[in-house]
Short mmCIF file of all heavy atoms in Angstrom, two decimals:
data_model
loop_
_atom_site.label_atom_id
_atom_site.label_comp_id
_atom_site.label_asym_id
_atom_site.label_seq_id
_atom_site.Cartn_x
_atom_site.Cartn_y
_atom_site.Cartn_z
N MET A 464 8.61 -13.84 -27.72
CA MET A 464 7.58 -13.50 -26.69
C MET A 464 6.95 -14.78 -26.19
O MET A 464 6.60 -14.94 -25.09
CB MET A 464 6.58 -12.54 -27.22
CG MET A 464 5.45 -12.34 -26.26
SD MET A 464 5.63 -10.86 -25.28
CE MET A 464 4.96 -9.60 -26.26
N ALA A 465 6.78 -15.77 -27.13
CA ALA A 465 6.07 -17.03 -26.72
C ALA A 465 6.87 -17.85 -25.76
O ALA A 465 6.35 -18.51 -24.85
CB ALA A 465 5.76 -17.87 -27.94
N GLY A 466 8.19 -17.70 -25.81
CA GLY A 466 9.06 -18.41 -24.88
C GLY A 466 9.07 -17.85 -23.44
O GLY A 466 9.37 -18.59 -22.54
N SER A 467 8.61 -16.61 -23.28
CA SER A 467 8.66 -16.03 -21.96
C SER A 467 7.33 -16.32 -21.20
O SER A 467 7.26 -16.03 -20.04
CB SER A 467 8.85 -14.55 -22.08
OG SER A 467 7.70 -13.91 -22.67
N SER A 468 6.29 -16.84 -21.84
CA SER A 468 5.00 -17.14 -21.33
C SER A 468 4.43 -15.87 -20.58
O SER A 468 3.79 -15.96 -19.56
CB SER A 468 4.99 -18.32 -20.33
OG SER A 468 5.66 -18.05 -19.14
N HIS A 469 4.65 -14.73 -21.27
CA HIS A 469 4.13 -13.47 -20.71
C HIS A 469 2.59 -13.47 -20.82
O HIS A 469 2.00 -13.48 -21.83
CB HIS A 469 4.74 -12.31 -21.56
CG HIS A 469 4.15 -10.98 -21.20
ND1 HIS A 469 4.53 -10.34 -20.01
CD2 HIS A 469 3.25 -10.21 -21.81
CE1 HIS A 469 3.86 -9.18 -19.95
NE2 HIS A 469 3.11 -9.08 -21.04
N GLY A 470 1.94 -13.38 -19.69
CA GLY A 470 0.54 -13.33 -19.59
C GLY A 470 -0.21 -14.64 -19.74
O GLY A 470 -1.44 -14.68 -19.74
N HIS A 471 0.49 -15.72 -19.80
CA HIS A 471 -0.15 -17.01 -19.90
C HIS A 471 -0.28 -17.67 -18.55
O HIS A 471 0.18 -18.79 -18.33
CB HIS A 471 0.64 -17.97 -20.84
CG HIS A 471 0.81 -17.46 -22.21
ND1 HIS A 471 -0.23 -17.66 -23.15
CD2 HIS A 471 1.72 -16.66 -22.78
CE1 HIS A 471 0.16 -17.08 -24.29
NE2 HIS A 471 1.30 -16.44 -24.13
N THR A 472 -0.98 -17.01 -17.62
CA THR A 472 -1.16 -17.51 -16.29
C THR A 472 -2.65 -17.33 -15.93
O THR A 472 -3.38 -16.48 -16.44
CB THR A 472 -0.36 -16.75 -15.29
OG1 THR A 472 -0.79 -15.35 -15.24
CG2 THR A 472 1.13 -16.83 -15.63
N PRO A 473 -3.16 -18.16 -14.99
CA PRO A 473 -4.53 -17.99 -14.57
C PRO A 473 -4.82 -16.61 -14.00
O PRO A 473 -5.92 -16.03 -14.23
CB PRO A 473 -4.70 -19.02 -13.45
CG PRO A 473 -3.67 -20.07 -13.78
CD PRO A 473 -2.49 -19.36 -14.35
N ALA A 474 -3.85 -15.98 -13.35
CA ALA A 474 -4.08 -14.66 -12.78
C ALA A 474 -4.29 -13.64 -13.93
O ALA A 474 -5.15 -12.76 -13.87
CB ALA A 474 -2.91 -14.27 -11.90
N ALA A 475 -3.41 -13.70 -14.91
CA ALA A 475 -3.52 -12.75 -16.03
C ALA A 475 -4.83 -12.99 -16.81
O ALA A 475 -5.51 -11.95 -17.11
CB ALA A 475 -2.31 -12.91 -16.93
N TRP A 476 -5.18 -14.19 -17.15
CA TRP A 476 -6.37 -14.46 -17.90
C TRP A 476 -7.62 -13.97 -17.11
O TRP A 476 -8.52 -13.35 -17.66
CB TRP A 476 -6.51 -15.95 -18.19
CG TRP A 476 -5.75 -16.30 -19.40
CD1 TRP A 476 -4.56 -16.95 -19.42
CD2 TRP A 476 -6.11 -16.06 -20.74
NE1 TRP A 476 -4.14 -17.09 -20.69
CE2 TRP A 476 -5.04 -16.59 -21.54
CE3 TRP A 476 -7.15 -15.48 -21.40
CZ2 TRP A 476 -5.11 -16.52 -22.93
CZ3 TRP A 476 -7.22 -15.44 -22.80
CH2 TRP A 476 -6.19 -15.94 -23.53
N THR A 477 -7.69 -14.32 -15.82
CA THR A 477 -8.87 -13.95 -14.99
C THR A 477 -8.95 -12.42 -14.89
O THR A 477 -10.09 -11.85 -15.07
CB THR A 477 -8.73 -14.57 -13.59
OG1 THR A 477 -8.61 -15.95 -13.72
CG2 THR A 477 -10.00 -14.26 -12.78
N GLY A 478 -7.86 -11.73 -14.58
CA GLY A 478 -7.94 -10.28 -14.50
C GLY A 478 -8.36 -9.61 -15.80
O GLY A 478 -9.12 -8.67 -15.78
N VAL A 479 -7.85 -10.08 -16.93
CA VAL A 479 -8.17 -9.52 -18.24
C VAL A 479 -9.65 -9.77 -18.58
O VAL A 479 -10.34 -8.85 -19.07
CB VAL A 479 -7.22 -10.02 -19.30
CG1 VAL A 479 -7.74 -9.66 -20.70
CG2 VAL A 479 -5.85 -9.41 -19.12
N ILE A 480 -10.14 -10.97 -18.29
CA ILE A 480 -11.52 -11.28 -18.63
C ILE A 480 -12.47 -10.43 -17.75
O ILE A 480 -13.46 -9.89 -18.32
CB ILE A 480 -11.82 -12.81 -18.38
CG1 ILE A 480 -11.14 -13.58 -19.49
CG2 ILE A 480 -13.33 -13.03 -18.39
CD1 ILE A 480 -11.13 -15.10 -19.28
N ILE A 481 -12.18 -10.24 -16.53
CA ILE A 481 -13.02 -9.42 -15.63
C ILE A 481 -12.97 -7.97 -16.12
O ILE A 481 -14.03 -7.30 -16.17
CB ILE A 481 -12.57 -9.54 -14.19
CG1 ILE A 481 -12.97 -10.93 -13.65
CG2 ILE A 481 -13.31 -8.45 -13.31
CD1 ILE A 481 -12.39 -11.17 -12.29
N ALA A 482 -11.79 -7.46 -16.41
CA ALA A 482 -11.64 -6.06 -16.92
C ALA A 482 -12.38 -5.87 -18.26
O ALA A 482 -13.02 -4.90 -18.50
CB ALA A 482 -10.20 -5.72 -17.05
N PHE A 483 -12.32 -6.92 -19.11
CA PHE A 483 -13.03 -6.80 -20.38
C PHE A 483 -14.48 -6.77 -20.28
O PHE A 483 -15.22 -5.98 -20.94
CB PHE A 483 -12.61 -8.04 -21.32
CG PHE A 483 -13.26 -7.99 -22.69
CD1 PHE A 483 -12.92 -7.03 -23.62
CD2 PHE A 483 -14.30 -8.86 -22.92
CE1 PHE A 483 -13.52 -7.02 -24.83
CE2 PHE A 483 -14.96 -8.85 -24.16
CZ PHE A 483 -14.58 -7.91 -25.12
N ILE A 484 -15.08 -7.53 -19.32
CA ILE A 484 -16.49 -7.54 -19.06
C ILE A 484 -16.89 -6.12 -18.49
O ILE A 484 -17.89 -5.54 -18.92
CB ILE A 484 -16.88 -8.56 -18.04
CG1 ILE A 484 -16.78 -9.97 -18.78
CG2 ILE A 484 -18.29 -8.39 -17.53
CD1 ILE A 484 -16.87 -11.09 -17.81
N GLY A 485 -16.07 -5.55 -17.63
CA GLY A 485 -16.31 -4.21 -17.13
C GLY A 485 -16.25 -3.21 -18.22
O GLY A 485 -17.03 -2.26 -18.28
N PHE A 486 -15.32 -3.31 -19.16
CA PHE A 486 -15.20 -2.37 -20.30
C PHE A 486 -16.44 -2.48 -21.13
O PHE A 486 -16.95 -1.49 -21.57
CB PHE A 486 -13.98 -2.78 -21.10
CG PHE A 486 -13.79 -1.99 -22.40
CD1 PHE A 486 -13.32 -0.67 -22.34
CD2 PHE A 486 -14.13 -2.53 -23.56
CE1 PHE A 486 -13.21 0.03 -23.53
CE2 PHE A 486 -14.00 -1.82 -24.75
CZ PHE A 486 -13.54 -0.53 -24.70
N CYS A 487 -16.94 -3.67 -21.42
CA CYS A 487 -18.21 -3.84 -22.18
C CYS A 487 -19.35 -3.20 -21.51
O CYS A 487 -20.23 -2.52 -22.13
CB CYS A 487 -18.39 -5.32 -22.51
SG CYS A 487 -17.17 -6.03 -23.65
N VAL A 488 -19.49 -3.42 -20.19
CA VAL A 488 -20.58 -2.84 -19.40
C VAL A 488 -20.51 -1.33 -19.47
O VAL A 488 -21.47 -0.63 -19.76
CB VAL A 488 -20.61 -3.36 -18.00
CG1 VAL A 488 -21.50 -2.54 -17.10
CG2 VAL A 488 -20.92 -4.85 -17.93
N ALA A 489 -19.35 -0.80 -19.23
CA ALA A 489 -19.16 0.68 -19.25
C ALA A 489 -19.49 1.22 -20.57
O ALA A 489 -20.10 2.29 -20.78
CB ALA A 489 -17.73 1.00 -18.80
N GLY A 490 -19.05 0.56 -21.66
CA GLY A 490 -19.33 1.03 -23.02
C GLY A 490 -20.74 1.07 -23.37
O GLY A 490 -21.30 1.97 -23.99
N ALA A 491 -21.47 0.00 -22.93
CA ALA A 491 -22.93 -0.09 -23.24
C ALA A 491 -23.67 1.04 -22.51
O ALA A 491 -24.54 1.69 -23.04
CB ALA A 491 -23.46 -1.45 -22.77
N PHE A 492 -23.35 1.20 -21.21
CA PHE A 492 -24.01 2.26 -20.50
C PHE A 492 -23.63 3.67 -20.92
O PHE A 492 -24.40 4.62 -20.79
CB PHE A 492 -23.79 2.13 -18.96
CG PHE A 492 -24.62 1.10 -18.34
CD1 PHE A 492 -24.16 -0.16 -17.97
CD2 PHE A 492 -26.02 1.36 -18.09
CE1 PHE A 492 -24.97 -1.09 -17.43
CE2 PHE A 492 -26.86 0.40 -17.51
CZ PHE A 492 -26.31 -0.81 -17.20
N MET A 493 -22.47 3.79 -21.53
CA MET A 493 -22.09 5.15 -22.04
C MET A 493 -22.94 5.45 -23.19
O MET A 493 -23.42 6.55 -23.38
CB MET A 493 -20.62 5.11 -22.40
CG MET A 493 -20.10 6.50 -22.82
SD MET A 493 -18.27 6.65 -23.02
CE MET A 493 -17.91 5.40 -24.23
N VAL A 494 -23.20 4.48 -24.07
CA VAL A 494 -24.02 4.68 -25.27
C VAL A 494 -25.44 4.99 -24.83
O VAL A 494 -26.12 5.79 -25.46
CB VAL A 494 -23.96 3.41 -26.16
CG1 VAL A 494 -24.97 3.53 -27.33
CG2 VAL A 494 -22.53 3.31 -26.80
N MET A 495 -25.87 4.35 -23.79
CA MET A 495 -27.27 4.54 -23.27
C MET A 495 -27.37 5.82 -22.40
O MET A 495 -28.45 6.08 -21.92
CB MET A 495 -27.70 3.35 -22.42
CG MET A 495 -27.90 2.08 -23.31
SD MET A 495 -28.68 0.77 -22.36
CE MET A 495 -27.33 0.27 -21.21
N ALA A 496 -26.22 6.54 -22.30
CA ALA A 496 -26.22 7.78 -21.50
C ALA A 496 -26.67 7.58 -20.07
O ALA A 496 -27.46 8.34 -19.51
CB ALA A 496 -27.07 8.91 -22.16
N GLN A 497 -26.16 6.53 -19.42
CA GLN A 497 -26.46 6.21 -18.04
C GLN A 497 -25.16 6.29 -17.27
O GLN A 497 -24.40 5.32 -17.21
CB GLN A 497 -27.05 4.83 -17.92
CG GLN A 497 -28.36 4.67 -18.66
CD GLN A 497 -29.46 5.45 -18.01
OE1 GLN A 497 -29.52 5.60 -16.80
NE2 GLN A 497 -30.35 6.01 -18.81
N PRO A 498 -24.86 7.43 -16.66
CA PRO A 498 -23.59 7.65 -15.96
C PRO A 498 -23.34 6.61 -14.80
O PRO A 498 -22.23 6.13 -14.59
CB PRO A 498 -23.61 9.01 -15.38
CG PRO A 498 -24.70 9.72 -16.16
CD PRO A 498 -25.67 8.66 -16.69
N LEU A 499 -24.40 6.29 -14.08
CA LEU A 499 -24.24 5.36 -12.94
C LEU A 499 -23.76 4.02 -13.49
O LEU A 499 -22.86 3.33 -12.91
CB LEU A 499 -25.53 5.20 -12.21
CG LEU A 499 -25.46 4.45 -10.90
CD1 LEU A 499 -24.44 5.07 -9.93
CD2 LEU A 499 -26.81 4.32 -10.26
N GLY A 500 -24.38 3.45 -14.58
CA GLY A 500 -23.98 2.22 -15.10
C GLY A 500 -22.57 2.25 -15.67
O GLY A 500 -21.77 1.26 -15.54
N PHE A 501 -22.19 3.38 -16.26
CA PHE A 501 -20.83 3.57 -16.79
C PHE A 501 -19.82 3.45 -15.65
O PHE A 501 -18.79 2.75 -15.75
CB PHE A 501 -20.66 4.95 -17.45
CG PHE A 501 -19.27 5.30 -17.72
CD1 PHE A 501 -18.57 4.72 -18.80
CD2 PHE A 501 -18.60 6.14 -16.90
CE1 PHE A 501 -17.29 5.11 -19.03
CE2 PHE A 501 -17.24 6.50 -17.19
CZ PHE A 501 -16.59 5.97 -18.22
N TRP A 502 -20.05 4.13 -14.52
CA TRP A 502 -19.12 4.08 -13.43
C TRP A 502 -19.08 2.72 -12.70
O TRP A 502 -18.05 2.23 -12.25
CB TRP A 502 -19.38 5.17 -12.45
CG TRP A 502 -18.94 6.49 -13.02
CD1 TRP A 502 -19.78 7.56 -13.39
CD2 TRP A 502 -17.59 6.89 -13.27
NE1 TRP A 502 -18.96 8.62 -13.94
CE2 TRP A 502 -17.65 8.20 -13.87
CE3 TRP A 502 -16.38 6.31 -13.17
CZ2 TRP A 502 -16.55 8.91 -14.27
CZ3 TRP A 502 -15.23 7.01 -13.56
CH2 TRP A 502 -15.35 8.26 -14.12
N ALA A 503 -20.21 2.01 -12.74
CA ALA A 503 -20.26 0.64 -12.27
C ALA A 503 -19.34 -0.27 -13.13
O ALA A 503 -18.60 -1.12 -12.56
CB ALA A 503 -21.69 0.13 -12.21
N GLY A 504 -19.40 -0.10 -14.40
CA GLY A 504 -18.51 -0.75 -15.32
C GLY A 504 -17.08 -0.49 -15.08
O GLY A 504 -16.19 -1.37 -15.12
N MET A 505 -16.74 0.78 -14.77
CA MET A 505 -15.39 1.14 -14.51
C MET A 505 -14.91 0.56 -13.17
O MET A 505 -13.68 0.17 -13.02
CB MET A 505 -15.24 2.66 -14.45
CG MET A 505 -15.49 3.37 -15.76
SD MET A 505 -14.55 2.71 -17.13
CE MET A 505 -12.91 3.29 -16.66
N VAL A 506 -15.82 0.39 -12.21
CA VAL A 506 -15.44 -0.30 -10.97
C VAL A 506 -15.13 -1.74 -11.26
O VAL A 506 -14.18 -2.27 -10.70
CB VAL A 506 -16.60 -0.18 -9.93
CG1 VAL A 506 -16.36 -1.06 -8.75
CG2 VAL A 506 -16.70 1.23 -9.49
N VAL A 507 -15.85 -2.37 -12.17
CA VAL A 507 -15.56 -3.76 -12.52
C VAL A 507 -14.25 -3.86 -13.22
O VAL A 507 -13.43 -4.77 -13.00
CB VAL A 507 -16.71 -4.38 -13.43
CG1 VAL A 507 -16.37 -5.77 -13.90
CG2 VAL A 507 -18.02 -4.38 -12.61
N VAL A 508 -13.85 -2.87 -14.04
CA VAL A 508 -12.54 -2.85 -14.71
C VAL A 508 -11.46 -2.84 -13.65
O VAL A 508 -10.51 -3.61 -13.67
CB VAL A 508 -12.43 -1.63 -15.67
CG1 VAL A 508 -11.01 -1.49 -16.10
CG2 VAL A 508 -13.35 -1.81 -16.82
N ALA A 509 -11.58 -1.97 -12.64
CA ALA A 509 -10.57 -1.90 -11.57
C ALA A 509 -10.63 -3.17 -10.76
O ALA A 509 -9.51 -3.61 -10.31
CB ALA A 509 -10.94 -0.66 -10.68
N LEU A 510 -11.75 -3.75 -10.58
CA LEU A 510 -11.85 -4.99 -9.84
C LEU A 510 -11.01 -6.10 -10.54
O LEU A 510 -10.36 -6.98 -9.89
CB LEU A 510 -13.25 -5.45 -9.71
CG LEU A 510 -13.56 -6.70 -8.89
CD1 LEU A 510 -13.14 -6.50 -7.42
CD2 LEU A 510 -14.99 -7.05 -9.01
N GLY A 511 -10.97 -6.08 -11.88
CA GLY A 511 -10.22 -7.04 -12.56
C GLY A 511 -8.70 -6.98 -12.28
O GLY A 511 -8.05 -7.95 -12.13
N GLY A 512 -8.23 -5.71 -12.13
CA GLY A 512 -6.81 -5.51 -11.70
C GLY A 512 -6.56 -6.00 -10.36
O GLY A 512 -5.49 -6.65 -10.09
N VAL A 513 -7.48 -5.72 -9.46
CA VAL A 513 -7.34 -6.20 -8.11
C VAL A 513 -7.33 -7.73 -7.96
O VAL A 513 -6.45 -8.29 -7.31
CB VAL A 513 -8.43 -5.57 -7.17
CG1 VAL A 513 -8.39 -6.19 -5.79
CG2 VAL A 513 -8.25 -4.06 -7.10
N VAL A 514 -8.22 -8.34 -8.68
CA VAL A 514 -8.35 -9.83 -8.65
C VAL A 514 -7.08 -10.46 -9.26
O VAL A 514 -6.54 -11.45 -8.70
CB VAL A 514 -9.63 -10.31 -9.40
CG1 VAL A 514 -9.56 -11.77 -9.63
CG2 VAL A 514 -10.83 -9.91 -8.62
N GLY A 515 -6.61 -9.86 -10.33
CA GLY A 515 -5.35 -10.34 -10.93
C GLY A 515 -4.19 -10.27 -10.03
O GLY A 515 -3.37 -11.17 -9.87
N PHE A 516 -4.09 -9.14 -9.27
CA PHE A 516 -2.98 -8.96 -8.34
C PHE A 516 -3.09 -9.89 -7.16
O PHE A 516 -2.07 -10.50 -6.76
CB PHE A 516 -2.97 -7.49 -7.79
CG PHE A 516 -1.96 -7.20 -6.80
CD1 PHE A 516 -0.61 -7.06 -7.17
CD2 PHE A 516 -2.27 -7.21 -5.45
CE1 PHE A 516 0.36 -6.83 -6.26
CE2 PHE A 516 -1.24 -6.94 -4.45
CZ PHE A 516 0.02 -6.79 -4.93
N ILE A 517 -4.31 -10.16 -6.65
CA ILE A 517 -4.49 -11.08 -5.55
C ILE A 517 -4.16 -12.50 -5.98
O ILE A 517 -3.50 -13.23 -5.29
CB ILE A 517 -5.92 -10.96 -5.03
CG1 ILE A 517 -6.17 -9.62 -4.30
CG2 ILE A 517 -6.25 -12.16 -4.07
CD1 ILE A 517 -7.52 -9.34 -3.89
N MET A 518 -4.57 -12.82 -7.20
CA MET A 518 -4.24 -14.16 -7.71
C MET A 518 -2.80 -14.36 -7.92
O MET A 518 -2.18 -15.44 -7.62
CB MET A 518 -5.04 -14.48 -8.95
CG MET A 518 -6.50 -14.74 -8.70
SD MET A 518 -7.37 -15.03 -10.27
CE MET A 518 -6.84 -16.68 -10.67
N LYS A 519 -2.04 -13.32 -8.35
CA LYS A 519 -0.64 -13.35 -8.55
C LYS A 519 0.04 -13.53 -7.22
O LYS A 519 0.97 -14.28 -7.03
CB LYS A 519 -0.18 -12.11 -9.25
CG LYS A 519 1.36 -12.10 -9.43
CD LYS A 519 1.81 -10.81 -10.08
CE LYS A 519 3.32 -10.76 -10.15
NZ LYS A 519 3.84 -9.45 -10.60
N SER A 520 -0.44 -12.79 -6.15
CA SER A 520 0.10 -12.94 -4.83
C SER A 520 -0.16 -14.31 -4.25
O SER A 520 0.67 -14.77 -3.36
CB SER A 520 -0.51 -11.87 -3.90
OG SER A 520 -0.20 -10.62 -4.37
N ALA A 521 -1.19 -14.96 -4.68
CA ALA A 521 -1.57 -16.30 -4.17
C ALA A 521 -0.73 -17.39 -4.94
O ALA A 521 -0.86 -18.61 -4.61
CB ALA A 521 -3.00 -16.56 -4.32
N GLY A 522 0.11 -16.99 -5.88
CA GLY A 522 1.02 -17.96 -6.54
C GLY A 522 0.43 -18.37 -7.93
O GLY A 522 1.04 -19.32 -8.53
N LEU A 523 -0.56 -17.77 -8.41
CA LEU A 523 -1.14 -18.17 -9.71
C LEU A 523 -0.62 -17.35 -10.82
O LEU A 523 -1.13 -17.43 -11.98
CB LEU A 523 -2.67 -18.17 -9.64
CG LEU A 523 -3.32 -19.11 -8.66
CD1 LEU A 523 -4.78 -18.87 -8.54
CD2 LEU A 523 -3.07 -20.57 -9.08
N GLY A 524 0.32 -16.46 -10.56
CA GLY A 524 0.89 -15.65 -11.66
C GLY A 524 2.18 -16.18 -12.13
O GLY A 524 2.58 -17.31 -11.76
N LYS A 525 2.93 -15.41 -12.89
CA LYS A 525 4.18 -15.88 -13.38
C LYS A 525 5.19 -15.94 -12.24
O LYS A 525 5.28 -14.98 -11.46
CB LYS A 525 4.68 -14.94 -14.46
CG LYS A 525 5.99 -15.36 -15.11
CD LYS A 525 6.39 -14.37 -16.20
CE LYS A 525 7.70 -14.85 -16.77
NZ LYS A 525 8.24 -13.91 -17.73
N GLN A 526 5.87 -17.05 -12.17
CA GLN A 526 6.90 -17.21 -11.13
C GLN A 526 8.12 -16.39 -11.46
O GLN A 526 8.47 -16.29 -12.64
CB GLN A 526 7.29 -18.68 -11.02
CG GLN A 526 6.09 -19.65 -10.71
CD GLN A 526 5.41 -19.24 -9.39
OE1 GLN A 526 6.06 -18.98 -8.43
NE2 GLN A 526 4.06 -19.30 -9.40
N LYS A 527 8.75 -15.83 -10.43
CA LYS A 527 9.97 -15.05 -10.66
C LYS A 527 11.07 -15.96 -11.10
O LYS A 527 11.24 -17.05 -10.47
CB LYS A 527 10.30 -14.28 -9.42
CG LYS A 527 9.29 -13.22 -9.08
CD LYS A 527 9.81 -12.37 -7.95
CE LYS A 527 8.81 -11.26 -7.66
NZ LYS A 527 9.30 -10.21 -6.86
N SER A 528 11.78 -15.57 -12.11
CA SER A 528 12.83 -16.44 -12.56
C SER A 528 14.11 -16.25 -11.74
O SER A 528 14.42 -15.18 -11.26
CB SER A 528 13.14 -16.16 -14.02
OG SER A 528 13.58 -14.83 -14.20
N THR A 529 14.82 -17.34 -11.56
CA THR A 529 16.07 -17.31 -10.85
C THR A 529 17.20 -17.49 -11.88
O THR A 529 16.97 -18.10 -12.91
CB THR A 529 16.11 -18.38 -9.72
OG1 THR A 529 15.98 -19.63 -10.37
CG2 THR A 529 14.98 -18.14 -8.76
N PRO A 530 18.42 -17.13 -11.53
CA PRO A 530 19.57 -17.40 -12.45
C PRO A 530 19.68 -18.88 -12.82
O PRO A 530 20.02 -19.27 -13.92
CB PRO A 530 20.79 -16.87 -11.67
CG PRO A 530 20.19 -15.88 -10.74
CD PRO A 530 18.82 -16.38 -10.36
N VAL A 531 19.41 -19.75 -11.82
CA VAL A 531 19.48 -21.22 -12.11
C VAL A 531 18.43 -21.61 -13.14
O VAL A 531 18.71 -22.36 -14.07
CB VAL A 531 19.39 -22.01 -10.81
CG1 VAL A 531 19.32 -23.49 -11.11
CG2 VAL A 531 20.50 -21.65 -9.83
N ARG A 532 17.27 -21.14 -12.98
CA ARG A 532 16.18 -21.47 -13.84
C ARG A 532 16.44 -20.92 -15.25
O ARG A 532 16.15 -21.54 -16.29
CB ARG A 532 14.83 -20.93 -13.34
CG ARG A 532 13.60 -21.44 -14.08
CD ARG A 532 12.38 -20.88 -13.47
NE ARG A 532 12.03 -21.64 -12.25
CZ ARG A 532 11.08 -21.31 -11.40
NH1 ARG A 532 10.31 -20.30 -11.62
NH2 ARG A 532 10.85 -22.11 -10.35
N GLU A 533 16.97 -19.68 -15.39
CA GLU A 533 17.23 -19.10 -16.64
C GLU A 533 18.42 -19.88 -17.36
O GLU A 533 18.35 -20.06 -18.53
CB GLU A 533 17.69 -17.68 -16.47
CG GLU A 533 16.52 -16.76 -16.11
CD GLU A 533 16.96 -15.28 -15.88
OE1 GLU A 533 18.18 -15.02 -16.07
OE2 GLU A 533 16.10 -14.48 -15.56
N ALA A 534 19.39 -20.29 -16.59
CA ALA A 534 20.48 -21.08 -17.20
C ALA A 534 20.02 -22.43 -17.71
O ALA A 534 20.40 -22.88 -18.80
CB ALA A 534 21.58 -21.24 -16.21
N ALA A 535 19.15 -23.00 -17.00
CA ALA A 535 18.58 -24.28 -17.39
C ALA A 535 17.71 -24.15 -18.64
O ALA A 535 17.78 -25.05 -19.56
CB ALA A 535 17.73 -24.99 -16.33
N GLY A 536 16.97 -23.06 -18.75
CA GLY A 536 16.16 -22.76 -19.90
C GLY A 536 16.98 -22.52 -21.19
O GLY A 536 16.66 -22.86 -22.30
N ALA A 537 18.10 -21.85 -20.96
CA ALA A 537 18.95 -21.49 -22.09
C ALA A 537 19.68 -22.78 -22.65
O ALA A 537 19.94 -22.87 -23.85
CB ALA A 537 20.00 -20.47 -21.67
N GLN A 538 19.92 -23.72 -21.79
CA GLN A 538 20.68 -24.94 -22.26
C GLN A 538 19.71 -25.93 -22.91
O GLN A 538 20.06 -26.67 -23.78
CB GLN A 538 21.30 -25.62 -21.07
CG GLN A 538 22.44 -24.88 -20.51
CD GLN A 538 23.03 -25.48 -19.27
OE1 GLN A 538 22.53 -26.42 -18.81
NE2 GLN A 538 24.12 -24.88 -18.73
N GLY A 539 18.37 -25.93 -22.44
CA GLY A 539 17.40 -26.91 -22.96
C GLY A 539 16.54 -26.40 -23.89
O GLY A 539 16.35 -26.34 -24.99
#
């Protein structure tokens, strides 16, 4: 798995960090029995996915591998 660099991109890290913050916010407000805060946290979780997708579309995600690139990786 380490050789595939799965998730080791700025897009992945940023999306996961934003989603994690939203998860923490939603969890805290759930314990405090505040539904509005919980749903605000869930919106932040969804925002993490959107930001990650936008960053991936901007070229900050994992690059699609080509047969030439895979063959070069297998030899080196």
Side-chain angles (χ1 to χ4, degrees):
M464 174 97 89
S467 68
S468 71
H469 174 76
H471 298 276
T472 64
W476 278 101
T477 304
V479 168
I480 289 170
I481 292 171
F483 180 71
I484 290 169
F486 174 77
C487 291
V488 168
F492 279 105
M493 185 169 58
V494 170
M495 292 187 290
Q497 298 291 325
L499 187 60
F501 168 77
W502 287 111
M505 295 307 291
V506 168
V507 174
V508 170
L510 183 66
V513 171
V514 168
F516 179 76
I517 290 171
M518 289 180 70
K519 180 182 175 188
S520 298
L523 295 172
K525 183 177 178 186
Q526 302 299 320
K527 292 187 179 196
S528 61
T529 60
V531 174
R532 191 178 282 172
E533 288 177 2
Q538 292 174 356

